[in-house]
Amino acid sequence: GEFGHFGWSGVIRASSVIFFAYIGFDAVTTAAAESKDPSSDLPLAIFWSLGISTALYMVVALVMTGLASYTLLGVPDPMVVAVEQAGPGLAWLAPWITVAVVVGVPGVVLVSMFAISRVLYTMATDGMLPALFAELHPTFCTPLYSTLVCGAVAALIAGLFPIGVIAELVSVGTLFAFAMVCAGVIVLRHTQPDSHRPVVVPFSPFVPGLGVLLAFGQILFLPWTAWVRMALWMAGGMVLWVLYGSKGGQDEVYERVE
């Protein structure tokens, strides 16, 4: 068949396209400043949520391919199709699946907005973005303008672009970010070997090196249009850095959270 549709190439491309679902685990780290004991709470939160979610993904995929042929599931609503193939006995489940999707997708968007608003807040605190993004709400003590801007931009993007294009863009960006984090582990082990590390990555540099290879390998299986969008997105970020971030950045303007 066609490359990227079914078969192993389809499996890898599908895992690359839906990789945005894993951005929630990365988002947990952005809540470090709002955690009581980040050095203990964050690793546990990441490992438990990652393990539970991965197990659920695998079980759901196993059940779906048991109910219906995988050739029938290349549609926008594969879970509904799988339930319909099971016969009238499970017909009652289809509306509930639709409700779950309607509730679940905005939940993913909310988590992403939570994460990016904290990222913008930290960058503004570090001087790489205007100080406006570092302002907190007087009552809730959460990033005020960062949240408002993220909400407005997210609504604009959702209204102008198909969800498939957005999913590919977010996934390729997440994979690239994960690759950079893995590479950063290797670099920091050499440049800052004596830094305090509550959680140490085992078997470095082999484990983070494997993470870099896997992330870039999945990027290669995405459509070439996703690469072009990522390049344009990165170019925009570099322009912002050159015009503002590189001039306004400061050193050690906030305390390290441990």
Side-chain angles (χ1 to χ4, degrees), residues 59-87:
V59 170
V60 170
L62 180 63
V63 171
M64 288 174 58
T65 52
L67 293 174
S69 171
Y70 69 90
T71 57
L72 301 175
L73 300 178
V75 293
D77 54 346
M79 295 187 68
V80 174
V81 171
V83 169
E84 291 176 347
Q85 290 294 312

Side-chain angles (χ1 to χ4, degrees), residues 215-236:
F216 277 119
Q218 287 192 274
I219 289 177
L220 293 177
F221 276 84
L222 285 168
W224 66 270
T225 52
W227 306 351
V228 174
R229 297 187 193 105
M230 183 184 71
L232 295 175
W233 189 265
M234 289 182 60

Side-chain angles (χ1 to χ4, degrees), residues 48-254:
W48 275 106
S49 59
L50 179 62
I52 293 172
S53 299
T54 301
L56 288 175
Y57 289 156
M58 295 173 64
V59 170
V60 170
L62 180 63
V63 171
M64 288 174 58
T65 52
L67 293 174
S69 171
Y70 69 90
T71 57
L72 301 175
L73 300 178
V75 293
D77 54 346
M79 295 187 68
V80 174
V81 171
V83 169
E84 291 176 347
Q85 290 294 312
L90 291 179
W92 62 270
L93 194 56
W96 289 105
I97 293 176
T98 303
V99 172
V101 171
V102 172
V103 175
V105 172
V108 175
V109 175
L110 180 62
V111 170
S112 300
M113 289 178 58
F114 172 89
I116 192 61
S117 64
R118 271 61 180 177
V119 171
L120 294 180
Y121 167 79
T122 302
M123 293 177 66
T125 304
D126 200 27
M128 291 187 290
L129 286 176
L132 181 71
F133 290 97
E135 292 191 22
L136 299 178
H137 191 280
T139 302
F140 304 109
C141 296
T142 54
L144 176 57
Y145 295 103
S146 294
T147 303
L148 292 175
V149 171
C150 288
V153 173
L156 182 64
I157 292 177
L160 295 178
F161 297 96
I163 190 172
V165 172
I166 298 174
E168 290 179 359
L169 179 59
V170 175
S171 293
V172 71
T174 304
L175 284 165
F176 187 81
F178 277 30
M180 293 299 99
V181 169
C182 292
V185 171
I186 300 174
V187 172
L188 290 176
R189 282 290 182 90
H190 291 279
T191 58
Q192 301 181 21
D194 299 325
S195 294
H196 175 62
R197 294 179 171 87
V199 179
V200 179
V201 177
F203 306 111
S204 181
F206 302 107
V207 170
L210 183 61
V212 173
L213 293 177
L214 289 175
F216 277 119
Q218 287 192 274
I219 289 177
L220 293 177
F221 276 84
L222 285 168
W224 66 270
T225 52
W227 306 351
V228 174
R229 297 187 193 105
M230 183 184 71
L232 295 175
W233 189 265
M234 289 182 60
M238 292 177 66
V239 169
L240 178 62
W241 165 256
V242 171
L243 296 180
Y244 189 92
S246 61
K247 300 175 182 179
Q250 305 174 37
D251 296 326
E252 302 296 336
V253 297
Y254 54 90

